[in-house]
Structures are given as C-alpha cells and as structure tokens.
Amino acid sequence: MLRICSALVLICVSLPVWADVSGHVRVIDADTIDVGSTRVRLHAIDAPEQDQICQTEHGVDFACGVWASAQVADRFEGRYARCGQKDTDRYGRVVAACQVGDVDMGQEIVSQGWAFAYRRYGMVYDLDEKSAYVADRGLHGFLVQSPAQFRQTRAKGRIPPDPFCRIKGNISKNGRIFHVPGQELYERTGINTAKGERWFCSPAEARAAGWRAARR
C-alpha cells in the first residue's frame, strides 16, 4: 500500500499499488497464477486443492478443485494483470493482490464462489464470501471441506491419494477393518502404510484382501 500524507493537514490515505508485478495471467489453480514469469499466490483467498473432492447434495462425488481452477481460467487466463506484493510465502511465491482491468481478482473469485476468504491472512473478502454463501453460489452449493482442513487431514493419511480408491483399510486391536465414506469413524481414521494399512477401491477388494467392514 502507498501512504500519502498532506503537507498542510495531517491526513493520510492508503492507496493500492498495482505495479510490483505485471504481465499476462496463466492460471495454475484457483488461488495461484503466473503473472508473466512470476508465480503469485493471491492474497487472502483459499481455493480447493486440485485433487480435492466435494459432493453434491445427492452425495455424488465432484472434482471441485479442478472445477474451481477451470472457472478462474475461463475468467482470467491470458488477461493482463497488475499486482501489489504483500509478502512472500514459504514456497517462494509472491503473495499479492492482483487486478485485471478494474476487477480485483481475489474479490471476483471469492464472490463467484470459486474460492473462500482466507481470514487467517485478512478479512478483506469476508463479506464477499458471505454473499456467495447466502446465494449458494459456486462451491457453496456443494458439500465441501475447507481447503485448510483438507490439507491437514491429507497430511495425516486421512485423504486418499487416489480419489477413486477411498476405502480405508485400518489395522487395530480389533483386527483388519475397512471404513467407507459416510461411516461415523471414517473421517477420523488415518492410514499408515508403514504398518500395513492400505487404501481400497471397493468393499469387495477389501474383503478379498482379508479386511472386514467396520460397524460404524
């Protein structure tokens, strides 16, 4: 932000600076873009991961990460963006607010329901997300885990590496038990392949390998 103060009266106004990074947009995912040759993580928004799966209200799996990325690409791919850098993240990406024409990219993406306001890093898009939520716009029309929770649970072996093989083959004091999505203990069950636990693509495959169905 550029801070300008009057020499006569102590009045300061913060104005956005959109000149730190500029260039044509290439969409990586719904919250990460290349602006020219610079990798940019859009400030204060968080989108589903590319491999994240959501569900429709009827329980049908939906590749929401891929879908959200496609929506952002349709809207901004190839457009000229001007960005104001706010930080650099742990991956070396520039964290910035970006503008295409007179459109704030982050605001547009959140208000269309293609990503969520990332309140941990700023409240600037809080009302835009709430508006999208009320209207069931975009991702808000589906059953979706927050991207932050998805990343956390995936890191603990709770999210399948293959979205089509989601059955958890757990080994406990009760033996070899498999859990299917929707069961009470499914979400809290983590898979440790070093212990011989594994993922299955169907109940039949799990039973054939010696696992039995969980009661809940």
Side-chain angles (χ1 to χ4, degrees):
M1 305 295 285
L2 177 64
R3 196 167 177 81
I4 299 176
C5 299
S6 168
L8 300 176
V9 182
L10 190 57
I11 299 176
C12 298
V13 180
S14 293
L15 299 175
V17 176
W18 300 104
D20 294 329
V21 179
S22 61
H24 291 94
V25 171
R26 183 170 74 90
V27 173
I28 305 303
D29 58 35
D31 58 25
T32 306
I33 60 175
D34 284 345
V35 179
S37 60
T38 302
R39 181 65 49 91
V40 173
R41 176 65 162 81
L42 293 171
H43 171 66
I45 76 170
D46 201 18
E49 298 297 313
Q50 283 288 82
D51 59 344
Q52 190 165 340
I53 302 296
C54 304
Q55 287 188 332
T56 69
E57 61 181 358
H58 301 297
V60 178
D61 286 350
F62 171 65
C64 55
V66 173
W67 176 84
S69 299
Q71 306 313 302
V72 175
D74 285 346
R75 179 70 175 84
F76 293 112
E77 185 78 20
R79 303 287 300 278
Y80 190 84
R82 295 172 292 137
C83 306
Q85 182 171 357
K86 295 181 177 292
D87 202 353
T88 301
D89 71 9
R90 61 179 175 170
Y91 304 108
R93 299 175 298 186
V94 169
V95 178
C98 295
Q99 187 167 325
V100 170
D102 60 356
V103 174
D104 179 335
M105 288 186 67
Q107 183 178 39
E108 176 75 358
I109 291 168
V110 172
S111 66
Q112 293 297 330
W114 303 332
F116 303 95
Y118 209 173
R119 295 174 180 85
R120 175 181 174 184
Y121 295 103
M123 297 294 289
V124 63
Y125 304 125
D126 176 66
L127 293 179
D128 298 295
E129 182 187 303
K130 288 175 179 175
S131 176
Y133 174 80
V134 169
D136 282 340
R137 193 176 300 126
L139 294 166
H140 301 287
F142 303 96
L143 299 176
V144 55
Q145 185 180 36
S146 79
Q149 289 176 330
F150 175 80
R151 290 189 293 269
Q152 183 179 17
T153 55
R154 180 178 59 182
K156 294 180 180 178
R158 296 180 181 174
I159 298 298
D162 183 341
F164 298 103
C165 298
R166 303 174 63 191
I167 296 174
K168 297 178 177 181
N170 178 241
I171 300 175
S172 70
K173 63 182 181 180
N174 296 317
R176 297 171 180 256
I177 300 172
F178 69 85
H179 301 262
V180 301
Q183 286 189 297
E184 181 181 348
L185 299 181
Y186 180 83
E187 291 297 335
R188 71 180 70 174
T189 299
I191 296 303
N192 184 346
T193 55
K195 290 172 50 180
E197 296 176 334
R198 54 182 291 194
W199 297 92
F200 295 103
C201 301
S202 70
E205 180 186 11
R207 291 190 181 96
W211 267 257
R212 64 180 176 83
R215 294 196 181 107
R216 57 193 181 98

